[in-house]
Amino acid sequence: MTPLARLLAARIAATGPISLADYMADCLLHPEHGYYTGGQVFGAAGDFITAPEISQMFGELVGLALAQAWIDQGRPAPFCLAEPGPGRGTLMADLWRATARVPGFHAAARPLLIEASPALRQLQQQRLSGIGARWAESLAALPDQPLFLIANEFFDALPIRQFRRDGTAWREVMVGAGPNGGLALGLSAPAPLAALDARLADTPPGGVVELCPALPALVAEIAGRIAAHGGLALIVDYGDWRARGDTFQAVQAHRPCDPLAEPGRADLTAHVDFEAIARAATAAGARAGAMIPQGVWLGRLGIAERAARLDAGLSGAQQQTHRAAFRRLTDPAEMGSLFKVLALTPHDAPLPPGCDP
Ligand code: SAH
């Protein structure tokens, strides 16, 4: 049993079962035992690998897409260049390097990294010491300025609740006491839920719907700044249009595992509901573009040309790794289709690069 499992079991014994969202929040960001709190989680040696860790091309193309949108919107200065959930800081480092030759971009940029984990913040500060960035713990700290933002695999780490349909009511999936002092999943008593009325139409009896309670307010922080001051948010994550079914999952050492087995030691995520992001962004006055598969989007931004350039300078094992990375980012059988991109802009801004429907 992990230390966090003991704490959670004691809490559940004292006050009853907790929602998956409460469970996820503690597992990921508990001040002492949270998975991200410790820090050493990414990359080939960690538990999972993300697009910027797979290849420098990802951060480079994101940087050039943000810079092109910045030019298209009249080069506002100063502007906030923000990244929530920067992980090891790799994406921001690649983005910054790739935009060095865009006249005026660095001079106008005020980089802001939003990170809840102190250990990861430290890692990022070492990695990004030369770019004049600030750090904040929450998106509420976004300044009232034009905002150019990239969020890669940030929203999938936000805690979700799960509801199972029972007739015209819903039973919430809860974490409660299990055998041998451990934890087990259970269901709350059925109750009607106004927030899910619309989902009765497309959820069969016994079907599961996921809700991310923190999402609307976080999206509103981003979209509100963009609607008021201009800019672009690129949201990249795995998921789809509208949450369907159980997507809650745990990963340890690159393998799926039981999400209840070792709380605090596995990464927990759920698919992102892009419809919910678009709805929250629209309500905050911004325009949500079309949801585009990552492979298509990277293709439109010129990843094949960039990959060929890099390929020409490589040989042997490095070249094989580079080719595998290109496939991994773009191939529909790998990350190309599962991952999606959604752009948020002001209503009167040109469509950002690669984002035509
Ligand atoms: N974008 C990075 C890492 C993704 S992992 C990459 O692509 O490699 C998720 C990141 O979000 C981690 O840095 C984690 O500590 C951070 N995070 C998770 N929940 C957060 C929250 N509520 N507020 C701020 N950061 C959070």
Side-chain angles (χ1 to χ4, degrees):
M1 242 193 173
T2 64
L4 184 57
R6 273 191 285 279
L7 289 179
L8 288 166
R11 170 175 167 194
I12 288 164
T15 57
I18 59 174
S19 70
L20 273 190
D22 286 343
Y23 177 73
M24 248 179 117
D26 262 6
C27 286
L28 294 180
L29 290 170
H30 184 279
E32 252 183 280
H33 307 296
Y35 179 72
Y36 288 125
T37 320
Q40 293 310 317
V41 296
F42 307 92
D47 288 308
F48 62 99
I49 188 159
T50 56
E53 304 295 336
I54 291 172
S55 166
Q56 67 186 75
M57 295 186 291
F58 187 80
E60 291 171 351
L61 292 171
V62 166
L64 295 176
L66 290 178
Q68 185 61 52
W70 174 75
I71 293 167
D72 291 344
Q73 293 188 31
R75 303 173 194 258
F79 73 92
C80 176
L81 175 65
E83 184 183 4
R88 300 175 62 213
T90 307
L91 197 165
M92 184 54 79
D94 292 338
L95 176 169
W96 192 257
R97 195 185 57 252
T99 49
R101 273 186 267 158
V102 179
F105 189 78
H106 281 192
R110 302 288 178 269
L112 175 66
L113 295 132
I114 295 125
E115 175 56 68
S117 153
L120 287 175
R121 209 151 50 220
Q122 218 173 25
L123 189 73
Q124 293 154 15
Q125 279 161 352
Q126 287 164 8
R127 197 80 193 279
L128 299 166
S129 58
I131 75 168
R134 289 194 301 125
W135 270 260
E137 278 179 43
S138 130
L139 283 163
L142 287 172
D144 286 320
Q145 262 177 1
L147 172 64
F148 290 81
L149 175 145
I150 171 70
N152 184 62
E153 293 211 45
F154 170 71
F155 283 93
D156 68 15
L158 298 179
I160 52 123
R161 296 172 70 182
Q162 275 190 345
F163 298 89
R164 190 173 289 279
R165 182 174 172 183
D166 183 344
T168 55
W170 301 87
R171 296 164 67 120
E172 180 160 11
V173 176
M174 306 292 283
V175 179
N180 308 321
L183 304 170
L185 293 179
L187 290 172
S188 70
L193 197 70
L196 290 181
D197 276 351
R199 298 306 306 274
L200 289 170
D202 65 359
T203 309
V208 168
V209 172
E210 295 174 343
L211 287 182
C212 179
L215 182 141
L218 294 179
V219 172
E221 296 284 5
I222 298 170
R225 298 309 191 288
I226 289 174
H229 308 289
L232 163 66
L234 291 172
I235 294 169
V236 186
D237 225 310
Y238 75 131
D240 218 326
W241 194 257
R242 188 165 298 181
R244 284 177 212 277
D246 173 10
T247 72
F248 180 54
Q249 59 174 269
V251 169
Q252 216 173 8
H254 302 277
R255 288 223 171 77
C257 62
D258 173 359
L260 299 189
E262 293 198 69
R265 301 224 175 114
D267 187 38
L268 303 181
T269 61
H271 282 202
V272 170
D273 178 354
F274 283 91
E275 183 185 43
I277 296 181
R279 197 184 305 117
T282 310
R287 176 182 67 191
M291 181 185 78
I292 300 176
Q294 173 174 299
V296 172
W297 181 68
L298 290 173
R300 290 174 178 175
L301 296 182
I303 193 169
E305 292 76 4
R306 179 70 183 129
R309 275 284 289 279
L310 290 170
D311 197 278
L314 298 171
S315 59
Q318 279 184 324
Q319 191 177 51
Q320 293 313 314
T321 306
H322 168 65
R323 290 179 183 174
F326 170 67
R327 270 197 309 278
R328 191 149 173 203
L329 290 179
T330 57
D331 196 304
E334 304 211 34
M335 294 171 81
S337 295
L338 177 60
F339 280 72
K340 313 287 196 308
V341 183
L342 186 72
L344 312 180
T345 58
H347 281 282
D348 56 2
L351 277 183
C355 291
D356 320 53

PDB file of all heavy atoms in Angstrom, residues 29 36 42 50 52 83 85-87 114-117 120 137 152-154 157-158, ligand 1:
ATOM      1  N   LEU A  29      -1.917  15.610  -7.353  1.00  0.00           N
ATOM      2  CA  LEU A  29      -1.323  16.838  -6.808  1.00  0.00           C
ATOM      3  C   LEU A  29      -1.351  16.920  -5.287  1.00  0.00           C
ATOM      4  O   LEU A  29      -1.237  18.022  -4.734  1.00  0.00           O
ATOM      5  CB  LEU A  29      -2.012  18.060  -7.433  1.00  0.00           C
ATOM      6  CG  LEU A  29      -1.698  18.298  -8.918  1.00  0.00           C
ATOM      7  CD1 LEU A  29      -2.595  19.371  -9.516  1.00  0.00           C
ATOM      8  CD2 LEU A  29      -0.235  18.668  -9.141  1.00  0.00           C
ATOM      9  N   TYR A  36       2.441  14.160  -9.642  1.00  0.00           N
ATOM     10  CA  TYR A  36       3.203  15.247 -10.262  1.00  0.00           C
ATOM     11  C   TYR A  36       4.059  15.974  -9.235  1.00  0.00           C
ATOM     12  O   TYR A  36       5.067  16.577  -9.590  1.00  0.00           O
ATOM     13  CB  TYR A  36       2.265  16.261 -10.927  1.00  0.00           C
ATOM     14  CG  TYR A  36       1.614  15.744 -12.176  1.00  0.00           C
ATOM     15  CD1 TYR A  36       0.231  15.750 -12.313  1.00  0.00           C
ATOM     16  CD2 TYR A  36       2.379  15.248 -13.226  1.00  0.00           C
ATOM     17  CE1 TYR A  36      -0.369  15.273 -13.463  1.00  0.00           C
ATOM     18  CE2 TYR A  36       1.789  14.766 -14.374  1.00  0.00           C
ATOM     19  CZ  TYR A  36       0.407  14.791 -14.487  1.00  0.00           C
ATOM     20  OH  TYR A  36      -0.182  14.324 -15.619  1.00  0.00           O
ATOM     21  N   PHE A  42       8.254  12.085 -16.598  1.00  0.00           N
ATOM     22  CA  PHE A  42       8.151  12.114 -18.060  1.00  0.00           C
ATOM     23  C   PHE A  42       9.338  11.490 -18.748  1.00  0.00           C
ATOM     24  O   PHE A  42      10.367  11.275 -18.152  1.00  0.00           O
ATOM     25  CB  PHE A  42       8.088  13.548 -18.576  1.00  0.00           C
ATOM     26  CG  PHE A  42       7.032  14.334 -17.931  1.00  0.00           C
ATOM     27  CD1 PHE A  42       7.304  15.067 -16.810  1.00  0.00           C
ATOM     28  CD2 PHE A  42       5.760  14.319 -18.440  1.00  0.00           C
ATOM     29  CE1 PHE A  42       6.321  15.804 -16.203  1.00  0.00           C
ATOM     30  CE2 PHE A  42       4.778  15.045 -17.842  1.00  0.00           C
ATOM     31  CZ  PHE A  42       5.057  15.791 -16.715  1.00  0.00           C
ATOM     32  N   THR A  50       5.371  12.399 -23.984  1.00  0.00           N
ATOM     33  CA  THR A  50       4.433  13.311 -24.643  1.00  0.00           C
ATOM     34  C   THR A  50       5.042  13.822 -25.951  1.00  0.00           C
ATOM     35  O   THR A  50       6.248  13.686 -26.167  1.00  0.00           O
ATOM     36  CB  THR A  50       4.128  14.510 -23.729  1.00  0.00           C
ATOM     37  OG1 THR A  50       5.376  15.123 -23.404  1.00  0.00           O
ATOM     38  CG2 THR A  50       3.435  14.066 -22.444  1.00  0.00           C
ATOM     39  N   PRO A  52       6.076  16.726 -27.205  1.00  0.00           N
ATOM     40  CA  PRO A  52       7.341  17.484 -27.230  1.00  0.00           C
ATOM     41  C   PRO A  52       8.545  16.655 -26.806  1.00  0.00           C
ATOM     42  O   PRO A  52       9.673  16.948 -27.204  1.00  0.00           O
ATOM     43  CB  PRO A  52       7.103  18.637 -26.249  1.00  0.00           C
ATOM     44  CG  PRO A  52       5.893  18.287 -25.472  1.00  0.00           C
ATOM     45  CD  PRO A  52       5.090  17.345 -26.308  1.00  0.00           C
ATOM     46  N   GLU A  83       1.955  28.834 -21.141  1.00  0.00           N
ATOM     47  CA  GLU A  83       1.798  27.388 -21.238  1.00  0.00           C
ATOM     48  C   GLU A  83       1.376  26.822 -19.883  1.00  0.00           C
ATOM     49  O   GLU A  83       2.163  26.843 -18.935  1.00  0.00           O
ATOM     50  CB  GLU A  83       3.107  26.698 -21.688  1.00  0.00           C
ATOM     51  CG  GLU A  83       2.864  25.211 -21.880  1.00  0.00           C
ATOM     52  CD  GLU A  83       4.106  24.398 -22.248  1.00  0.00           C
ATOM     53  OE1 GLU A  83       5.206  24.957 -22.283  1.00  0.00           O
ATOM     54  OE2 GLU A  83       3.934  23.195 -22.488  1.00  0.00           O
ATOM     55  N   GLY A  85       0.762  23.639 -17.527  1.00  0.00           N
ATOM     56  CA  GLY A  85       1.224  22.247 -17.445  1.00  0.00           C
ATOM     57  C   GLY A  85       2.424  21.977 -18.327  1.00  0.00           C
ATOM     58  O   GLY A  85       2.389  21.096 -19.187  1.00  0.00           O
ATOM     59  N   PRO A  86       3.527  22.724 -18.147  1.00  0.00           N
ATOM     60  CA  PRO A  86       4.668  22.600 -19.068  1.00  0.00           C
ATOM     61  C   PRO A  86       5.532  21.360 -18.870  1.00  0.00           C
ATOM     62  O   PRO A  86       6.499  21.202 -19.618  1.00  0.00           O
ATOM     63  CB  PRO A  86       5.503  23.857 -18.784  1.00  0.00           C
ATOM     64  CG  PRO A  86       4.736  24.669 -17.794  1.00  0.00           C
ATOM     65  CD  PRO A  86       3.753  23.772 -17.139  1.00  0.00           C
ATOM     66  N   GLY A  87       5.239  20.506 -17.901  1.00  0.00           N
ATOM     67  CA  GLY A  87       6.009  19.265 -17.752  1.00  0.00           C
ATOM     68  C   GLY A  87       7.476  19.539 -17.511  1.00  0.00           C
ATOM     69  O   GLY A  87       7.849  20.197 -16.547  1.00  0.00           O
ATOM     70  N   ILE A 114       2.420  28.031 -16.212  1.00  0.00           N
ATOM     71  CA  ILE A 114       1.459  27.753 -15.143  1.00  0.00           C
ATOM     72  C   ILE A 114       1.629  26.312 -14.710  1.00  0.00           C
ATOM     73  O   ILE A 114       1.362  25.391 -15.476  1.00  0.00           O
ATOM     74  CB  ILE A 114       0.024  28.042 -15.624  1.00  0.00           C
ATOM     75  CG1 ILE A 114      -0.102  29.555 -15.900  1.00  0.00           C
ATOM     76  CG2 ILE A 114      -1.010  27.634 -14.571  1.00  0.00           C
ATOM     77  CD1 ILE A 114      -0.559  29.869 -17.260  1.00  0.00           C
ATOM     78  N   GLU A 115       2.122  26.129 -13.494  1.00  0.00           N
ATOM     79  CA  GLU A 115       2.489  24.797 -13.034  1.00  0.00           C
ATOM     80  C   GLU A 115       2.118  24.642 -11.563  1.00  0.00           C
ATOM     81  O   GLU A 115       2.510  25.449 -10.743  1.00  0.00           O
ATOM     82  CB  GLU A 115       3.993  24.586 -13.219  1.00  0.00           C
ATOM     83  CG  GLU A 115       4.522  23.273 -12.676  1.00  0.00           C
ATOM     84  CD  GLU A 115       3.807  22.067 -13.260  1.00  0.00           C
ATOM     85  OE1 GLU A 115       3.965  21.812 -14.457  1.00  0.00           O
ATOM     86  OE2 GLU A 115       3.053  21.391 -12.512  1.00  0.00           O
ATOM     87  N   ALA A 116       1.376  23.570 -11.264  1.00  0.00           N
ATOM     88  CA  ALA A 116       0.942  23.335  -9.889  1.00  0.00           C
ATOM     89  C   ALA A 116       1.986  22.586  -9.069  1.00  0.00           C
ATOM     90  O   ALA A 116       1.976  22.663  -7.846  1.00  0.00           O
ATOM     91  CB  ALA A 116      -0.377  22.555  -9.894  1.00  0.00           C
ATOM     92  N   SER A 117       2.887  21.854  -9.708  1.00  0.00           N
ATOM     93  CA  SER A 117       3.839  21.027  -8.970  1.00  0.00           C
ATOM     94  C   SER A 117       5.144  21.781  -8.701  1.00  0.00           C
ATOM     95  O   SER A 117       5.826  22.195  -9.636  1.00  0.00           O
ATOM     96  CB  SER A 117       4.135  19.758  -9.777  1.00  0.00           C
ATOM     97  OG  SER A 117       5.426  19.261  -9.464  1.00  0.00           O
ATOM     98  N   LEU A 120       8.211  20.171 -10.463  1.00  0.00           N
ATOM     99  CA  LEU A 120       8.269  20.414 -11.908  1.00  0.00           C
ATOM    100  C   LEU A 120       8.587  21.878 -12.200  1.00  0.00           C
ATOM    101  O   LEU A 120       9.295  22.185 -13.158  1.00  0.00           O
ATOM    102  CB  LEU A 120       6.955  19.996 -12.575  1.00  0.00           C
ATOM    103  CG  LEU A 120       6.762  18.478 -12.679  1.00  0.00           C
ATOM    104  CD1 LEU A 120       5.394  18.138 -13.226  1.00  0.00           C
ATOM    105  CD2 LEU A 120       7.839  17.858 -13.565  1.00  0.00           C
ATOM    106  N   GLU A 137       0.752  29.516 -10.360  1.00  0.00           N
ATOM    107  CA  GLU A 137       0.178  28.213 -10.019  1.00  0.00           C
ATOM    108  C   GLU A 137      -1.150  27.964 -10.695  1.00  0.00           C
ATOM    109  O   GLU A 137      -1.623  26.835 -10.749  1.00  0.00           O
ATOM    110  CB  GLU A 137      -0.026  28.111  -8.507  1.00  0.00           C
ATOM    111  CG  GLU A 137       1.251  27.721  -7.785  1.00  0.00           C
ATOM    112  CD  GLU A 137       1.048  27.646  -6.294  1.00  0.00           C
ATOM    113  OE1 GLU A 137       0.014  27.104  -5.860  1.00  0.00           O
ATOM    114  OE2 GLU A 137       1.931  28.154  -5.589  1.00  0.00           O
ATOM    115  N   ASN A 152      -0.559  21.455 -24.004  1.00  0.00           N
ATOM    116  CA  ASN A 152      -0.427  20.090 -24.523  1.00  0.00           C
ATOM    117  C   ASN A 152      -0.542  19.106 -23.368  1.00  0.00           C
ATOM    118  O   ASN A 152       0.230  19.183 -22.401  1.00  0.00           O
ATOM    119  CB  ASN A 152       0.920  19.905 -25.228  1.00  0.00           C
ATOM    120  CG  ASN A 152       1.034  18.528 -25.863  1.00  0.00           C
ATOM    121  OD1 ASN A 152       0.246  18.198 -26.751  1.00  0.00           O
ATOM    122  ND2 ASN A 152       1.950  17.723 -25.402  1.00  0.00           N
ATOM    123  N   GLU A 153      -1.475  18.190 -23.469  1.00  0.00           N
ATOM    124  CA  GLU A 153      -1.706  17.201 -22.400  1.00  0.00           C
ATOM    125  C   GLU A 153      -1.834  17.864 -21.032  1.00  0.00           C
ATOM    126  O   GLU A 153      -1.292  17.391 -20.037  1.00  0.00           O
ATOM    127  CB  GLU A 153      -0.607  16.130 -22.399  1.00  0.00           C
ATOM    128  CG  GLU A 153      -0.678  15.265 -23.648  1.00  0.00           C
ATOM    129  CD  GLU A 153      -0.205  13.845 -23.384  1.00  0.00           C
ATOM    130  OE1 GLU A 153      -0.608  13.265 -22.361  1.00  0.00           O
ATOM    131  OE2 GLU A 153       0.553  13.322 -24.224  1.00  0.00           O
ATOM    132  N   PHE A 154      -2.526  18.989 -20.993  1.00  0.00           N
ATOM    133  CA  PHE A 154      -2.850  19.634 -19.719  1.00  0.00           C
ATOM    134  C   PHE A 154      -4.260  19.228 -19.286  1.00  0.00           C
ATOM    135  O   PHE A 154      -4.478  18.794 -18.163  1.00  0.00           O
ATOM    136  CB  PHE A 154      -2.747  21.152 -19.861  1.00  0.00           C
ATOM    137  CG  PHE A 154      -3.301  21.909 -18.672  1.00  0.00           C
ATOM    138  CD1 PHE A 154      -2.634  21.903 -17.453  1.00  0.00           C
ATOM    139  CD2 PHE A 154      -4.494  22.622 -18.775  1.00  0.00           C
ATOM    140  CE1 PHE A 154      -3.139  22.587 -16.359  1.00  0.00           C
ATOM    141  CE2 PHE A 154      -5.009  23.312 -17.683  1.00  0.00           C
ATOM    142  CZ  PHE A 154      -4.323  23.301 -16.474  1.00  0.00           C
ATOM    143  N   ALA A 157      -5.171  15.857 -17.566  1.00  0.00           N
ATOM    144  CA  ALA A 157      -4.765  15.625 -16.177  1.00  0.00           C
ATOM    145  C   ALA A 157      -5.763  16.229 -15.187  1.00  0.00           C
ATOM    146  O   ALA A 157      -5.576  16.115 -13.979  1.00  0.00           O
ATOM    147  CB  ALA A 157      -3.378  16.214 -15.938  1.00  0.00           C
ATOM    148  N   LEU A 158      -6.801  16.880 -15.693  1.00  0.00           N
ATOM    149  CA  LEU A 158      -7.782  17.485 -14.777  1.00  0.00           C
ATOM    150  C   LEU A 158      -8.748  16.414 -14.271  1.00  0.00           C
ATOM    151  O   LEU A 158      -9.197  15.561 -15.039  1.00  0.00           O
ATOM    152  CB  LEU A 158      -8.562  18.590 -15.496  1.00  0.00           C
ATOM    153  CG  LEU A 158      -7.718  19.765 -15.994  1.00  0.00           C
ATOM    154  CD1 LEU A 158      -8.607  20.767 -16.717  1.00  0.00           C
ATOM    155  CD2 LEU A 158      -6.972  20.443 -14.845  1.00  0.00           C
TER     156      LEU A 158
HETATM  157  N1  SAH B   1       2.683  19.641 -21.401  1.00  0.00           N
HETATM  158  C1  SAH B   1       3.706  18.726 -20.923  1.00  0.00           C
HETATM  159  C2  SAH B   1       3.300  17.904 -19.706  1.00  0.00           C
HETATM  160  C3  SAH B   1       1.940  17.318 -19.612  1.00  0.00           C
HETATM  161  S1  SAH B   1       1.665  16.494 -18.064  1.00  0.00           S
HETATM  162  C4  SAH B   1       4.145  17.836 -22.086  1.00  0.00           C
HETATM  163  O1  SAH B   1       3.496  17.882 -23.122  1.00  0.00           O
HETATM  164  O2  SAH B   1       5.130  17.128 -21.939  1.00  0.00           O
HETATM  165  C5  SAH B   1       0.617  17.572 -17.187  1.00  0.00           C
HETATM  166  C6  SAH B   1       1.274  18.804 -16.626  1.00  0.00           C
HETATM  167  O3  SAH B   1       0.257  19.610 -16.019  1.00  0.00           O
HETATM  168  C7  SAH B   1       2.290  18.582 -15.518  1.00  0.00           C
HETATM  169  O4  SAH B   1       3.299  19.573 -15.639  1.00  0.00           O
HETATM  170  C8  SAH B   1       1.458  18.789 -14.245  1.00  0.00           C
HETATM  171  O5  SAH B   1       2.207  19.047 -13.096  1.00  0.00           O
HETATM  172  C9  SAH B   1       0.597  19.945 -14.664  1.00  0.00           C
HETATM  173  N2  SAH B   1      -0.684  20.086 -13.959  1.00  0.00           N
HETATM  174  C10 SAH B   1      -1.595  19.127 -13.711  1.00  0.00           C
HETATM  175  N3  SAH B   1      -2.694  19.647 -13.118  1.00  0.00           N
HETATM  176  C11 SAH B   1      -2.474  20.973 -13.016  1.00  0.00           C
HETATM  177  C12 SAH B   1      -3.240  22.066 -12.506  1.00  0.00           C
HETATM  178  N4  SAH B   1      -4.451  21.881 -11.993  1.00  0.00           N
HETATM  179  N5  SAH B   1      -2.717  23.310 -12.577  1.00  0.00           N
HETATM  180  C13 SAH B   1      -1.478  23.519 -13.113  1.00  0.00           C
HETATM  181  N6  SAH B   1      -0.715  22.519 -13.603  1.00  0.00           N
HETATM  182  C14 SAH B   1      -1.189  21.271 -13.549  1.00  0.00           C
END
